[in-house]
Amino acid sequence: MDINCSYFEVVASSGVPAMHAAVIPPSGQVLFLDKVEDYSELRLPNNHYAYSSLYDPETHSLTPLAVVTNPFCCGGSFLGDGRLVTVGGNAPLLWLDPTVQNGFDAIRYLGNHNGSYCWKEPGNKLASNRWYASAQTLADGRMFVAAGSLNGLDPSNFSNNNPTFEMLDQNGVSNGENTLIDILVDTMPY
């Protein structure tokens, strides 16, 4: 019996622990995103660890990317213009990195800015805290953001649950309103 086997070959590293990964259109580069922690292979110009990187599969090069807010356990989706939007996250770990702030209600945008990719966080916020939020881009270009925890604590404690959704417009800006969804109450935890 002849069995053809294929083997994977490691050709590069993500540079950061990869909690999230996304292929960025149209470049084909791969975005990696993690949480604030102290064991990344990449450092930023300020000598703090990078929590995000961009990998180029053509050159196997890595670019460290800075974030303003802690993206740990965020949700994400793409806008119609190709930008990646991540929503929510976790509390700051100021003892580890005082440059990265609270991410619970953050909205982050990754796009091509003058030929290079970087995270932009202009201060747009979600209507409420969301740790482990879900996000989905709708056919009309708006983004549906739902569920999560209000604080990242015990998921079996109902007071930590966020059984709501909110809408982001085609530019990834929240409408500022939470709407209760009964199914998220009934199926708690988030």
Side-chain angles (χ1 to χ4, degrees):
M1 173 183 273
D2 183 22
I3 299 176
N4 293 326
C5 295
S6 297
Y7 295 94
F8 288 100
E9 180 182 348
V10 176
V11 296
S13 168
S14 64
V16 299
M19 173 174 256
H20 302 284
V23 176
I24 306 301
S27 73
Q29 294 183 64
V30 182
L31 176 277
F32 295 104
L33 182 62
D34 193 37
K35 64 180 179 176
V36 174
E37 53 192 322
D38 59 359
Y39 53 88
S40 172
E41 295 174 18
L42 297 176
R43 296 234 181 205
L44 297 167
N46 66 6
N47 205 35
H48 287 281
Y49 289 103
Y51 314 116
S52 183
S53 66
L54 195 62
Y55 169 72
D56 186 330
E58 295 291 321
T59 64
H60 302 296
S61 63
L62 283 171
T63 303
L65 301 175
V67 294
V68 175
T69 58
N70 189 350
F72 180 52
C73 301
C74 63
S77 193
F78 286 92
L79 295 176
D81 63 9
R83 286 181 294 159
L84 175 64
V85 176
T86 63
V87 294
N90 204 353
L93 301 176
L94 299 176
W95 58 271
L96 180 60
D97 189 340
T99 68
V100 179
Q101 302 300 308
N102 179 14
F104 281 125
D105 62 354
I107 303 176
R108 301 167 207 82
Y109 308 86
L110 180 86
N112 188 330
H113 302 278
N114 300 319
S116 65
Y117 288 89
C118 61
W119 286 106
K120 297 287 185 182
E121 298 187 51
N124 302 330
K125 299 292 183 186
L126 295 171
S128 60
N129 288 352
R130 296 187 186 277
W131 184 65
Y132 276 108
S134 293
Q136 180 63 51
T137 304
L138 304 175
D140 66 3
R142 294 179 303 151
M143 191 178 297
F144 174 82
V145 177
S149 171
L150 293 168
N151 53 30
L153 299 176
D154 181 1
S156 65
N157 182 335
F158 187 80
S159 66
N160 298 328
N161 190 28
N162 187 346
T164 67
F165 77 90
E166 61 186 281
M167 300 300 296
L168 277 55
D169 67 16
Q170 292 87 348
N171 293 309
V173 177
S174 175
N175 66 4
E177 298 175 17
N178 286 314
T179 302
L180 184 69
I181 305 177
D182 289 337
I183 193 169
L184 295 178
V185 174
D186 298 339
T187 59
M188 188 251 169
Y190 48 90

